[in-house]
Structures are given as structure tokens and as C-alpha cells.
Amino acid sequence: MAHLFLISTGPGDDGLLSPAARRALEESSEWVGYSLYFSLLGDLAVGKNRHELPLGAETERARVALSLAAAGHPTALISSGDIGIYAMATLVFELLDPANRDENFDPDWLQVSIETIPGISAMQAAASRCGAVLGHDFCTVSLSDLLTPWEVITNRLEHAAAGDFVVCFYNPVSRKRDWQLNYARDQLLKYRSQDTPVILGRNLTRDDERITFCALSELDASEVDMLTLVIVGNSETRRFINEYDGCEWIYTPRGYKTKSRR
Amino acid sequence: MAHLFLISTGPGDDGLLSPAARRALEESSEWVGYSLYFSLLGDLAVGKNRHELPLGAETERARVALSLAAAGHPTALISSGDIGIYAMATLVFELLDPANRDENFDPDWLQVSIETIPGISAMQAAASRCGAVLGHDFCTVSLSDLLTPWEVITNRLEHAAAGDFVVCFYNPVSRKRDWQLNYARDQLLKYRSQDTPVILGRNLTRDDERITFCALSELDASEVDMLTLVIVGNSETRRFINEYDGCEWIYTPRGYKTKSRR
């Protein structure tokens, strides 16, 4: 019986791969994940047995990882960002939960010891590049209705908007889902001003990183793809230019104006 | 003119201090922050000029950091967790924002180049130790009404509850605030079942870490202190025991039952 590491590799920048994640990657003979993640890990991947499963085969990927570890191979199940946030970790626990077991369940999986290593999620990478948009209460909303009914998502959008949360949109669009982000924008516009600051971050911390800002009313799904994270500020979020160097920043103050302007 | 690094040191575990944070700490001659954070950094702190300001002097701490960097000293402003999440980063940008400048503003601050290094926030550390509670949409709510009017917080609680978000409570209690968490619990109980899983994490990843689970109806502010993070699951969050080793896990499935049970 061997260890199963659930490993977060962060947004892509080497400098944000934690020593704990690096150590676990080194100790694992089997790597399970996407080839894109592996290629970001460079030399660390040399000599590893790679188990790549196609997009959409997430449950199968979790099964393969549990089975490899149960067979005695130290195994790494790898996600970029934080493996605990909209990623693979939760699938492993779904498979182990007595409530969900089916004919594919293998009792040996229960003997695998699991260690999860958290990592920098895309929202944190985006915020750190642009100021401090996550300085006050925020929420995350996935716009994918593949596994979540659209009514649940619209209800969540309504409350994210009415609660004045900074909102981080994960999975904002895909090839088949091109209108949900515009719907979300319109929901937010019922509660927030047209010029509410928005951050679009693509390939964060990587060589081809692209970060742009816009006003909420200008947000358009046609300018966003699967690799983009979208963050919309709350009613207090500010965007300003440093007049000395031209740098533009977006931040959410820690308090509300009435009290913080002392 | 020198660099100002806004540095996240994560929850405390060495293995979660990123290489980028370590490098920036090494490059900085001036360290600005709490003594508690410094002591967690061990040998890295040797030879640094430490600028410690008392709890409550957060704005002053940001001013000191900007002024040290403006005077030509490479400077580190240090927060545990993620400096961008309920922490010091946003204060630096508040001070630079033309809308907030007062008699203490120093134009030299505008010439400081700022680099922010994100880190593992307490919610991520807690989730990684207990399963995958952040596997689907979640929000963060600070229960501190020092700078945020209580009406704003209650509105946010109402929408966090009605939107069925997993909720991470930062600043759940303090010596002077002992009832807000129980109020929040009661708001959530209007929408969620009594046995909704709750995680209480204290001193996460440190030697004296203490993690406990309870049901939402059992959550009580008297068992929580300033150093505790509280995470409440959503309506789908599950808690189960691995019958082989007795390990207990909490996770939030990536989908909703009707669709995910295929």
C-alpha cells in the first residue's frame, strides 16, 4: 500500500510551486493528470510513469490514481491551481464515500493514505498581479452547468450580486457555453454600477500571460476563453492609475467608506 | 528607490512557503509585520531590520513599508496566509489611491515598484487537511465589524446562506466580539440542515494545529478564538468515515446529486 498525494502545482510559475509539492512530485513514481500540467513541470517529469486521461475523464483519472497507490506505487494526482478548488481532490473523496460506491469501487482504495498539498489558485494569482481585489469578502462561482443545474447557478449569481461579494468566475465559457457569462454580467449590473472594475486573467504567471481590465458593462463573453479567469469587483472596489509610472491597480478596501475614511 | 515586496508566508508550514516568497524575504533588508510571523520564519529572519507595529496599527505598517522602500531599502511587508486576502496588501493600494490621499501622503511612495507574492490562505490549508470542502462554489465572510457596518455583514450572511455557498468565516470572534458567529450560524440554519458539516481549524499546519469537526447546530462561538478559521459546508457537503483506518473526511461534490449520480 502506498501514498497518494493530491498535488497542487499553482498557476504555472516555478516560484509558486511549494517545496511540499515539489517533494511529493519527486517521491511519486506515477503521475496522473493532464499533459499540459506535466509540461509546466519541466525536468521534474523526467523518469515518471505518466498516466494521461482525456478531458472529461476526471472520475476515471481519480480511479486510476487510487488504484495505482493501492497497488503499492507512490502516486501523484496533479492539478494546476489548487487541487482542492474546482479540481480533482473532491473526486477522490466522492469515490471513497460509502454513499457513492458502485460496481467500480475497490475496497483496497480504503487502505491508501492520502495527503493533499494546497496551492495558489488562479484568483489569487490574478489578484496579486493587479493590486488586491480580494481584500474583502469574495465568492467563487463556476459557470459550468455540466454537473450543476442552471437554476442552482442562477440562484447563486443572484445572491452573489445582492450580497455585494467580489465574484471570481471559474469556467466562465467553453466552446459549447458562450452566453452564461453575459447573463452573469447582466445579473451583477442589477446591483452594481456600470464601471465596476473587472479583471480578465489568462495564462496567469506564464510566459504568455495576458491580463486586461474593463468596466462591468464592457465585459463580453466573446473576449473570454476557457483559460481565462474573470474577477468582478464589489461596490467599493477601486481602479486607479499611479501617475508616476502609469501602473494601473485594482483593489477592494478592507472596509466600507463611511467607516474607513477616518 | 527600491522594491516593496508584499509577501505571503502561508499558514506556517515551511513546505508551503513558496520559493518566490523565500527569495523576496532574502532580498529584503527591512521586514515589516508582526513578530509572530517573523518567528515562524526562523533563520530567514537573521540580520533583518525588523519593524514591528502593534495590532491595530495596520495603516501605519503600510506607511512604514512604503516609506522604507521609497528611501531606497528593499522592503518586505509580510502577512501570514495570503497577503491579498483580508490582509495588508489592500492597505498599500488604499494609500496610493488618489481618492484617499491625506496629509500623511508622501509623493515618493509613487516611485516604489511593488511586487505581490500570493500564498496559501487559511481556508485552503484547512480544506487540504480534511478532504475537499472547497470543491464547489464558496465564499468568504469576515465577521469583524470594526470597518464594515454590521448591516453589510448581515446582508452578506443572508445571501451566503440563501445562495447555498460553502462559507469560510475569517475573524469569527475576538475578545470584544463573541456573539456574531452564533448569529451567523442561526442565519445559515434557516437554509441548511442541522447536521451540515463544519470545520474548525486552529494554528493550521503548525506544531500545535488543532482541527475539529462538528454539526452546524453544534457550532458555538465559545469554542472558537481569533486564531480559528471556521468553514461551513453547503447543502451537498458530505462527512464520512473511512471504515478501514477511521479517518474522517469532509468534501463538497463538484456537482449536484441529480446530475452527478450517473
Side-chain angles (χ1 to χ4, degrees), chain B:
Chain B
M1 207 57 53
H3 233 60
L4 171 58
F5 295 102
L6 310 184
I7 302 180
S8 311
T9 60
D13 175 1
D14 260 10
L16 296 176
L17 180 71
S18 70
R22 180 175 289 270
R23 203 176 310 127
L25 288 166
E26 285 168 353
E27 285 177 18
S28 303
S29 62
E30 316 299 308
W31 281 21
V32 184
Y34 290 127
S35 52
L36 172 65
Y37 302 165
F38 297 166
S39 66
L40 288 170
L41 292 168
D43 289 349
L44 276 172
V46 173
K48 303 299 182 183
N49 298 317
R50 306 183 196 187
H51 306 266
E52 304 175 19
L53 288 120
L55 206 75
E58 279 76 23
T59 303
E60 187 54 26
R61 198 174 300 134
R63 276 197 203 104
V64 166
L66 280 165
S67 297
L68 285 166
H73 310 289
T75 300
L77 179 60
I78 302 169
S79 281
S80 66
D82 187 323
I83 196 165
I85 297 179
Y86 298 120
M88 293 296 302
T90 201
L91 287 175
V92 170
F93 296 101
E94 282 187 55
L95 288 175
L96 298 177
D97 183 348
N100 296 330
R101 292 178 190 165
D102 61 15
E103 68 281 6
N104 296 309
F105 174 75
D106 178 348
D108 285 349
W109 292 346
L110 298 177
Q111 297 182 49
V112 172
S113 80
I114 298 174
E115 185 178 341
T116 305
I117 296 152
I120 304 298
S121 188
M123 62 181 174
Q124 296 168 289
S128 72
R129 306 296 254 190
C130 310
V133 73
L134 302 180
H136 208 282
D137 303 339
F138 63 89
C139 69
T140 66
V141 177
S142 166
L143 291 178
S144 169
D145 58 359
L146 213 63
L147 295 168
T148 304
W150 181 239
E151 316 84 77
V152 172
I153 299 173
T154 56
N155 179 59
R156 207 158 269 156
L157 285 171
E158 167 65 22
H159 292 291
D164 198 30
F165 286 96
V166 173
V167 187
C168 307
F169 288 112
Y170 282 76
N171 310 309
V173 302
S174 74
R175 234 163 304 171
K176 290 179 187 163
R177 288 182 300 104
D178 59 354
W179 55 269
Q180 284 85 346
L181 182 62
N182 288 349
Y183 175 94
R185 173 200 62 207
D186 295 341
Q187 287 302 104
L188 289 171
L189 279 171
K190 290 182 189 166
Y191 295 89
R192 291 177 206 186
S193 74
Q194 302 233 329
D195 58 355
T196 303
V198 175
I199 297 168
L200 304 177
R202 191 173 189 283
N203 284 332
L204 291 155
T205 78
R206 302 180 194 169
D207 291 341
D208 49 353
E209 174 181 82
R210 181 160 176 265
I211 298 177
T212 52
F213 297 164
C214 69
L216 181 55
S217 61
E218 297 162 351
L219 177 60
D220 196 276
S222 65
E223 286 166 36
V224 173
D225 69 7
M226 276 177 72
L227 300 174
T228 306
L229 178 83
V230 177
I231 306 182
V232 179
N234 75 6
S235 65
E236 299 282 313
T237 301
R238 298 258 319 149
R239 173 179 172 182
F240 72 94
I241 293 176
N242 176 329
E243 62 264 36
Y244 176 78
D245 61 10
C247 270
E248 204 167 4
W249 300 109
I250 291 179
Y251 73 96
T252 305
R254 50 184 185 144
Y256 272 62
K257 268 180 199 142
T258 44
K259 291 211 177 179
S260 66
R261 292 269 168 79
R262 291 178 300 186

Side-chain angles (χ1 to χ4, degrees), chain A residues 164-175:
Chain A
D164 199 30
F165 286 95
V166 173
V167 186
C168 307
F169 289 111
Y170 282 76
N171 310 309
V173 302
S174 74
R175 234 163 302 171

Side-chain angles (χ1 to χ4, degrees), chain A residues 71-94:
Chain A
H73 309 291
T75 301
L77 180 59
I78 303 169
S79 280
S80 67
D82 187 323
I83 195 165
I85 298 180
Y86 298 118
M88 292 296 303
T90 201
L91 286 175
V92 170
F93 297 102
E94 281 186 57

